[in-house]
């Protein structure tokens, strides 16, 4: 049974039950009122008949048209009933009532049968002394046929009216329920469209003061989250497919190199010792490159899994100083400096919370990119300081810079700005992706911008350690300790 049918049925049952109760109460009250009026008439008439006999008036001198009157003495009994009343209502079946019974039941009305089927009489008895001192009784009765007929007519009217009200309630209630359930049908249609794959569908908004309005708002919120989740999953699947394809492509080259040199060696093409040594060197280089690529892929996979990182105090100034030393050793001819974040600031401890090994990897990747992608002798600066409540480390180079069209994608996996570079000179395109993943895992952010005067600046922001005093170096007059270059 549908909800609409159930609601209409409930309305009809409630209306019917209410009307039955109201009709029964009305008929009962009406019958009681009418019979009460008859009883009042009987009591009044019986009292008059008793007084008439008491004062010696002739019995039967007065007999109302519809009344049945019976006087009963030990040696005398008279009953009076008009012909018209007898034909219409019949004669009442009144039992013999002696003086004692009349005394006990004086003034108490009772109902008795009639000689005509379907007719009843209402009677009352009183004790009756006559002028001779005899004790008897007088019984006065009135027919109830008119009362019963009136009650039946009223009951029939109530039944017919009730049926009409119930039918009207069913029709109007069905229309009202159907109109009230229209938003639910719209929700059903929307859900069907969503089930067919159209996640952009939304339920029509309604006032939140209503149950349907609150349901619509909740469903729309849920649908938005589901749509976003599907979009995120689709994008994730696309990234995964692209990642697997790129990883396979990157691994295929060193594997093909190793396989090719192995086949040359097996075929005996490497006859001289120098050729064998060169081949082994190239195999080792390919294996090293493949190992580094696998390590990078494993690092990204661990970061994607959301494994918890260490939460130790790490001084970004120390990391930058070590990176300057490594850069001197890697490229002695390149000018390098460790400077404060702002020109008129000073260097000092910049302690953040993080995994020192991962943050060192971030700095190493950024410095390695500078060495790899800028001409020899290009100046490099590492700036450290505090900006807007976070520890900031910037790697600034003064090389050719990056085209803005590529700047937004440098943190994508396997993306290389210069596609013409060989994999040996240009790398696999995972260094900056690893930097972004590590920084995001620390709750920070990494941004790329143009260096003033030309070049590229990569800014890394990591939340400061809790409880660490903040000396904002992003403006003039920042505090800090001594630095070096």
């Amino acid at each position: 049974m549908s909800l609409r049918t159930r609601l209409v049925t409930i309305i009809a049952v409630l209306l019917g039950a209410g009307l039955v109760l109201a009709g029964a109460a009305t008929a009962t009250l009406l019958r009681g009122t009418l019979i009460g009026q008859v009883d009042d008439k009987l009591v009044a008439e019986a009292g008059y008949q008793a007084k008439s006999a008491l004062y010696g008036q002739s019995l039967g001198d007065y007999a109302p048209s519809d009344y049945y009157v019976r006087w009963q003495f030990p040696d005398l009994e008279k009953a009076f009933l008009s012909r018209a009343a007898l034909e219409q209502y019949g004669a009442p079946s009144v039992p013999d009532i002696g003086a004692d019974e009349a005394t006990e039941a004086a003034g108490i009305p009772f109902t008795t049968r009639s000689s005509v089927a379907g007719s009843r009489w209402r009677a009352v008895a009183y004790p009756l002394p006559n002028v001779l001192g005899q004790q008897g009784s007088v019984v006065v009765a009135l027919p109830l046929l008119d009362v019963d007929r009136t009650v039946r007519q009223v009951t029939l009217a109530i039944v017919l009216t009730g049926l009409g009200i119930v039918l009207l309630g069913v029709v109007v209630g069905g229309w009202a329920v159907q109109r009230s359930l229209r938003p639910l049908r719209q929700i059903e249609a929307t859900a069907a469209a969503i089930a067919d794959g159209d996640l952009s569908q939304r339920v029509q908004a309604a006032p939140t003061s209503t149950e349907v309005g609150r349901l619509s708002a909740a469903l729309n919120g849920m649908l938005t989250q589901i749509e976003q989740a599907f979009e995120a999953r689709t994008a994730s699947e696309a990234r995964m497919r692209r990642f697997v394809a790129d990883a396979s492509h990157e691994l295929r080259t060193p594997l093909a190199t190793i396989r090719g040199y192995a086949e040359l060696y097996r075929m005996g093409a490497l006859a001289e010792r120098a050729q064998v040594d060169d081949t082994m060197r190239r195999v080792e280089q390919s294996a090293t490159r493949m190992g580094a690529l696998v390590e990078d892929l494993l690092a990204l996979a661990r970061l994607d899994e959301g494994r918890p990182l260490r939460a130790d105090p790490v001084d970004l100034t120390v990391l930058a100083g070590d990176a300057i030393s490594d850069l001197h050793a890697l490229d002695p001819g390149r000018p390098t400096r460790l400077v404060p974040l702002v020109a008129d600031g000073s260097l000092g401890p910049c302690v953040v919370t993080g995994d020192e090994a991962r943050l060192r990897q971030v700095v190493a990747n950024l410095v390695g990119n500078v060495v790899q992608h800028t001409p020899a002798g290009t100046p490099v600066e590492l700036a450290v300081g505090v900006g807007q409540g976070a520890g900031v480390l910037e790697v600034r180079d003064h090389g050719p810079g990056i085209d803005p069209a590529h700047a937004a994608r440098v943190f994508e996996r396997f993306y290389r700005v210069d596609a013409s570079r060989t994999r040996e000179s240009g790398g696999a395109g995972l260094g900056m992706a690893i930097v972004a993943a590590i920084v995001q895992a620390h709750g920070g952010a990494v941004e790329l911008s143009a260096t003033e005067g030309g070049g590229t600046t990569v800014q890394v922001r990591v939340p400061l350690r809790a409880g660490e005093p903040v000396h904002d170096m992003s403006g003039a007059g920042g505090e800090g300790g001594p630095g070096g270059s």
Side-chain angles (χ1 to χ4, degrees):
M1 186 182 294
S2 66
L3 178 60
R4 176 175 178 268
T5 304
R6 287 202 302 270
L7 292 176
V8 173
T9 302
I10 291 173
I11 292 173
V13 170
L14 291 177
L15 282 175
L19 290 172
V20 167
L21 292 176
T26 302
T28 301
L29 291 174
L30 178 62
R31 178 182 294 276
T33 301
L34 295 177
I35 291 179
Q37 294 175 355
V38 171
D39 291 344
D40 293 340
K41 292 180 180 180
L42 289 174
V43 170
E45 184 61 28
Y48 173 78
Q49 293 294 333
K51 290 179 181 180
S52 298
L54 179 62
Y55 292 115
Q57 296 180 7
S58 177
L59 299 178
D61 289 348
Y62 173 77
S65 60
D66 289 342
Y67 283 82
Y68 169 82
V69 181
R70 187 189 73 182
W71 294 271
Q72 187 174 359
F73 293 94
D75 55 356
L76 177 66
E77 179 178 341
K78 288 186 177 182
F80 298 94
L81 178 64
S82 67
R83 181 179 296 277
L86 178 62
E87 292 177 355
Q88 185 175 0
Y89 306 115
S93 301
V94 180
D96 291 338
I97 300 176
D100 296 336
E101 291 86 352
T103 301
E104 293 178 359
I108 300 176
F110 61 92
T111 302
T112 184
R113 298 188 302 274
S114 173
S115 60
V116 176
S119 178
R120 298 181 305 161
W121 288 76
R122 188 74 168 171
V124 65
Y126 275 95
L128 181 66
N130 62 6
V131 294
L132 301 177
Q134 295 178 335
Q135 295 292 326
S137 64
V138 60
V139 176
V140 180
L142 274 175
L144 292 178
L145 183 62
D146 294 336
V147 172
D148 293 337
R149 184 181 295 116
T150 301
V151 173
R152 284 196 297 270
Q153 290 175 350
V154 171
T155 302
L156 179 62
I158 291 175
V159 170
L160 295 178
T161 304
L163 290 176
I165 292 175
V166 170
L167 291 177
L168 181 63
V170 168
V171 174
V172 176
W175 174 81
V177 169
Q178 183 176 7
R179 181 178 179 86
S180 300
L181 295 180
R182 185 180 303 168
L184 294 181
R185 291 196 298 273
Q186 294 174 350
I187 293 175
E188 178 185 0
T190 302
I194 293 171
D196 292 336
D198 187 3
L199 297 178
S200 63
Q201 291 287 333
R202 291 294 181 271
V203 178
Q204 185 176 358
T208 55
S209 59
T210 64
E211 291 80 0
V212 173
R214 290 192 292 271
L215 176 62
S216 301
L219 287 177
N220 286 335
M222 181 187 68
L223 293 174
T224 299
Q225 294 183 357
I226 292 175
E227 185 179 15
Q228 292 174 352
F230 270 93
E231 291 176 353
R233 190 187 71 174
T234 302
S236 177
E237 291 176 351
R239 288 194 301 269
M240 181 59 67
R241 287 193 294 269
R242 186 169 64 250
F243 179 77
V244 172
D246 291 341
S248 302
H249 183 72
E250 294 293 336
L251 289 172
R252 182 174 59 184
T253 299
L255 286 173
T257 300
I258 294 173
R259 179 180 179 183
Y261 284 125
E263 290 179 352
L264 287 176
Y265 179 78
R266 179 177 55 80
M267 294 169 60
L270 306 176
E272 300 179 1
R273 179 65 183 180
Q275 292 177 328
V276 174
D277 292 342
D278 181 66
T279 298
M280 291 298 103
R281 180 181 60 81
R282 293 181 179 275
V283 169
E284 183 181 6
Q285 289 177 347
S286 296
T288 300
R289 171 175 170 76
M290 187 169 57
L293 180 59
V294 170
E295 288 295 329
D296 289 344
L297 292 175
L298 288 175
L300 287 172
R302 293 189 185 99
L303 292 170
D304 288 342
E305 289 176 0
R307 295 184 181 181
L309 301 176
R310 294 178 62 88
D312 300 325
V314 181
D315 192 345
L316 294 183
T317 305
V318 174
L319 296 187
D322 293 344
I324 289 291
S325 299
D326 295 341
L327 189 54
H328 273 303
L330 186 64
D331 189 358
R334 183 183 296 268
T336 58
R337 289 194 306 158
L338 178 60
V339 299
L341 187 61
V342 293
D344 53 355
S346 58
L347 282 171
C350 183
V351 182
V352 299
T353 299
D355 189 322
E356 182 175 354
R358 293 297 185 185
L359 293 177
R360 284 187 180 275
Q361 185 179 4
V362 169
V363 181
N365 283 5
L366 294 178
V367 171
N369 275 348
V370 171
V371 174
Q372 194 170 27
H373 298 302
T374 60
T378 300
V380 179
E381 298 171 355
L382 270 70
V384 181
V386 177
Q388 298 179 356
V392 180
L393 186 147
E394 290 185 353
V395 178
R396 307 167 180 168
D397 70 65
H398 297 276
I402 299 177
D403 190 326
H406 299 286
R409 301 187 60 190
V410 294
F411 298 108
E412 295 181 9
R413 300 175 184 185
F414 295 106
Y415 182 79
R416 288 186 294 271
V417 174
D418 188 355
S420 64
R421 293 180 183 268
T422 64
R423 289 177 175 81
E424 288 72 17
S425 63
L430 293 177
M432 297 298 285
I434 293 175
V435 167
I438 293 175
V439 174
Q440 290 174 3
H442 281 79
V446 58
E447 297 178 356
L448 187 144
S449 59
T451 303
E452 185 177 355
T456 301
T457 295
V458 180
Q459 184 187 78
V460 174
R461 305 173 66 87
V462 181
L464 289 171
R465 183 170 178 80
E468 195 72 21
V470 178
H471 303 289
D472 198 331
M473 303 177 189
S474 62
E479 298 181 9
S485 63

